[in-house]
């Protein structure tokens, strides 16, 4: 069963030439574009409205469409559109966003509607964010390869430079507190130990792989998409070996890889416009076509 929600009325389209140059995609429709859904602790759903320079919150249990959505515009005076990409939510319900154009880490408090943008040591393109077990917020710069942390208590920023400039795309936090990055530019996944402040790199067997998004299940097993080659990657950190699983449909463009509560994996495939379900026990894939339209991810 698919459920679709009409977007809130009045979301603006805020586009710039800078945005088109940095994003590299000039074919997006000039309408609302939501990216990176995130389920909050209260079961509301957050999205980054990239073209509207806003964060939006969906209450999926609200039957009144006039009350279903809340819109939180980003207060950015330096650029007209920070171009929100990745988002996350901490255990207190505060939502955060990564800026491709603005180069900062943003925060919105849904109780007050206040937005805050944090200056970082370097101004780069930020793609993804993740919250660890202690509510620290982590970010990565896809070009400069800086990995940083917003401390949950002090609200101070600390940043480390990743070796070999892997071009970190996706980020994930493991149950033990380690941080994992998808090394999109170097065909690798990278582990960061915040206690030892050490990086460990794991190179994919296949090149090019295009490691795009990454996640960690409840047992600490790492999962990631190999977007360029149509494979699902997995890594057991204890064994230190990457296993690649071919998708049954040849031209699959895997993007997100999300473990559910049973540690089965859900993958979005923009080429076939489907959601893909991978059953860990049977090692079988099931495809669920999106009802209508064409979806980038």
């Amino acid at each position: 069963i698919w459920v679709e929600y009409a977007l809130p009325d009045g979301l603006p389209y805020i586009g710039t030439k800078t945005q088109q140059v940095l994003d590299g995609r000039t074919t997006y429709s000039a309408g609302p574009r939501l990216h990176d859904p995130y389920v909050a602790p209260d079961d509301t759903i957050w999205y980054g409205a990239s073209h509207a320079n806003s964060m939006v919150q969906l209450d999926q249990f609200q039957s009144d469409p006039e009350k279903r959505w809340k819109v939180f515009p980003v207060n950015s005076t330096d650029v007209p559109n920070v171009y929100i990409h990745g988002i996350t939510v901490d255990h207190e319900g505060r939502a955060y966003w990564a800026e491709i154009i603005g180069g900062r880490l943003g925060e919105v408090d849904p109780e007050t509607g206040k937005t805050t943008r944090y200056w970082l040591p370097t101004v780069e393109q930020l793609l993804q964010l993740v919250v660890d077990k202690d509510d620290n917020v982590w970010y990565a710069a896809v070009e400069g390869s800086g990995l940083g942390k917003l401390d949950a208590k002090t609200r101070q920023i600390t940043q480390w430079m990743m070796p070999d400039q892997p071009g970190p795309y996706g980020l994930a936090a493991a149950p033990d507190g380690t941080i994992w990055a998808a090394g999109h530019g170097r065909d690798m996944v990278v582990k960061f130990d915040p206690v030892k402040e050490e990086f460990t790199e794991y190179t994919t067997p296949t090149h090019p792989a295009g490691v795009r998004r990454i996640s960690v299940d409840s047992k600490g097993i790492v999962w990631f998409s190999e977007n360029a080659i149509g494979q699902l990657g997995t890594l057991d950190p204890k064994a230190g070996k990457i296993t690649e699983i071919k998708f049954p449909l040849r031209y699959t463009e895997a993007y997100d890889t999300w473990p559910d509560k049973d540690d089965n994996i859900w993958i979005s495939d923009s080429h076939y416009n489907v959601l893909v379900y991978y059953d860990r026990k049977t090692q079988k894939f099931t495809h669920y076509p999106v009802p209508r339209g064409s979806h980038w991810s």
Side-chain angles (χ1 to χ4, degrees):
I1 297 175
W2 287 86
V3 178
E4 296 181 317
Y5 299 89
L7 271 59
D9 293 332
L11 281 178
Y13 175 76
I14 305 172
T16 65
K17 292 182 179 179
T18 304
Q19 173 183 318
Q20 293 175 348
V21 170
L22 287 177
D23 192 49
R25 300 180 180 91
T26 58
T27 57
Y28 288 154
S29 62
R33 174 177 180 265
L34 303 187
H35 195 261
D36 235 39
Y38 195 94
V39 183
D42 63 358
D43 284 336
T44 59
I45 316 297
W46 284 86
Y47 300 85
S50 305
H51 283 174
N53 202 39
S54 300
M55 292 281 284
V56 296
Q57 183 184 28
L58 166 66
D59 183 350
Q60 58 180 316
F61 304 109
Q62 174 57 255
S63 59
D64 185 348
E66 298 298 327
K67 301 177 181 178
R68 187 174 290 155
W69 294 92
K70 292 182 179 179
V71 179
F72 302 89
V74 174
N75 182 20
S76 56
T77 57
D78 52 337
V79 290
N81 185 359
V82 302
Y83 204 87
I84 295 171
H85 195 270
I87 65 173
T88 191
V89 182
D90 67 18
H91 294 91
E92 299 295 326
R94 293 171 296 197
Y96 302 85
W97 69 83
E99 301 180 358
I100 290 183
I101 293 179
R104 302 198 210 176
L105 167 65
E107 174 189 339
V108 56
D109 184 342
E111 295 297 325
T112 64
K114 179 184 177 182
T115 61
T116 304
R117 299 173 64 221
Y118 295 91
W119 279 104
L120 308 180
T122 55
V123 180
E124 305 287 352
Q125 293 184 40
L126 306 186
L127 292 187
Q128 295 304 126
L129 302 174
V130 68
V131 171
D132 66 19
K133 62 183 180 63
D134 298 317
D135 256 2
N136 301 307
V137 182
W138 293 81
Y139 65 87
V142 67
E143 288 190 343
S145 295
L147 177 70
K149 179 186 74 172
L150 171 65
D151 190 278
K153 296 180 179 179
T154 66
R155 314 309 282 175
Q156 298 299 308
I157 301 286
T158 306
Q159 184 168 300
W160 300 263
M161 292 307 299
M162 303 176 73
D164 299 325
Q165 292 190 320
Y169 198 105
L171 284 179
D176 64 359
T178 55
I179 303 299
W180 291 83
H184 185 63
R186 293 284 187 177
D187 290 336
M188 63 173 60
V189 295
V190 183
K191 180 180 76 172
F192 180 65
D193 185 331
V195 177
K196 297 180 180 179
E197 300 188 21
E198 292 179 351
F199 290 94
T200 305
E201 299 175 344
Y202 303 86
T203 303
T204 60
T206 302
H207 305 282
V211 181
R212 196 74 174 268
R213 290 291 189 102
I214 194 166
S215 61
V216 184
D217 67 23
S218 65
K219 305 297 190 300
I221 305 300
V222 180
W223 297 86
F224 53 92
S225 59
E226 295 187 350
N227 182 261
I229 200 62
Q231 295 183 150
L232 175 65
T234 183
L235 166 67
D236 183 346
K238 295 180 180 179
K241 180 182 177 182
I242 289 178
T243 300
E244 296 173 323
I245 306 166
K246 288 187 177 297
F247 288 104
L249 299 182
R250 180 177 180 182
Y251 299 109
T252 294
E253 292 182 2
Y255 192 68
D256 265 317
T257 54
W258 282 9
D260 62 20
K261 62 183 178 63
D262 298 316
D263 284 339
N264 297 309
I265 311 301
W266 290 84
I267 304 105
S268 56
D269 174 13
S270 58
H271 183 83
Y272 294 103
N273 200 38
V274 298
L275 281 177
V276 185
Y277 173 73
Y278 179 65
D279 188 300
R280 297 277 298 282
K281 292 181 180 179
T282 64
Q283 299 184 355
K284 297 287 183 63
F285 290 94
T286 304
H287 295 77
Y288 298 94
V290 177
R292 58 179 178 164
S294 177
H295 298 73
W296 176 56
S297 61

